[in-house]
Amino acid sequence: MTTEDIQLNLAYRLGEDSAPTNANELARRLAFINQALREVYKRHYWWWTEAEGTLTTNSSKTSYGTADGLPSNIRDYYEIKDGTLIYHPIDAQEASEITENPLLNYTIPYGIGDLYYYTWNDKLYFLPQIQVTGKVISIKYWEGYTALTAGSTVPIPDLFCNCLDAYAFARISQIDDERGSAADGFDEFEETMRQMMIEHNKQSFYNKPGA
């Protein structure tokens, strides 16, 4: 579905025959639709936000950002590998301890000699620093929220896209002091979230290795 599909569905909910042509009203409704999308992203690391990419190393780099080839719109990582070697996540404080005194590695759950990564200010760091240029690192991650604009494709699977116009309808009804309609819209949103979580759990199970 696209932004225009959601706008049309919202118009139907409001008793209109078509989406408005007034640019200000379209923008107002789109703001509510994006509120809904943000709320969806806040609820979970959904299966449909999973993505893959690669990063080519440079021996002169101590960190990597989007300008260095890191995929954009990363919300969080769930796997970083160099071939079959897995990089384990640690936080910046743990990374500092390792850097300052490698003997403190015993405080990290994976042991001495393992590979680590951490993030700081939207940059990705590796420990130990990769001293090879041209090594391809595979990255699996969850994409973050991006606001919809005119013509955008909605990232949510079509089966659950009604959550966006239901939420936007509820917000508009709230403002218009139509409490019953607002409650109905929010109830539909929550029910769709429940159904999408069921689907998420199915996807997570069936996509497991060996499942």
Side-chain angles (χ1 to χ4, degrees), residues 44 46-47 196-206:
H44 206 70
W46 300 104
W47 85 94
M196 189 155 64
M197 180 57 73
I198 292 172
E199 181 63 23
H200 175 85
N201 292 335
K202 289 179 181 178
Q203 293 286 339
S204 298
F205 176 79
Y206 289 117

Side-chain angles (χ1 to χ4, degrees), residues 115-188:
L115 306 175
Y116 307 109
Y117 74 88
Y118 68 99
T119 58
W120 182 258
N121 289 337
D122 297 325
K123 294 290 186 71
L124 178 65
Y125 295 78
F126 295 101
L127 283 180
Q129 180 183 341
I130 300 175
Q131 302 288 345
V132 177
T133 294
K135 183 183 290 290
V136 177
I137 304 296
S138 64
I139 298 173
K140 294 183 179 181
Y141 59 96
W142 291 282
E143 293 180 325
Y145 162 82
T146 299
L148 299 174
T149 58
S152 293
T153 298
V154 178
I156 300 172
D158 288 357
L159 186 61
F160 306 105
C161 278
N162 63 294
C163 67
L164 300 183
D165 46 277
Y167 187 99
F169 172 75
R171 289 288 291 115
I172 292 171
S173 299
Q174 254 186 343
I175 292 170
D176 293 340
D177 202 28
E178 296 176 355
R179 298 181 182 179
S181 295
D184 289 343
F186 286 131
D187 285 347
E188 182 179 340

Side-chain angles (χ1 to χ4, degrees), residues 75-87:
R75 180 182 181 188
D76 205 353
Y77 302 92
Y78 66 92
E79 184 181 272
I80 297 180
K81 296 176 69 176
D82 172 6
T84 59
L85 301 176
I86 297 175
Y87 281 84

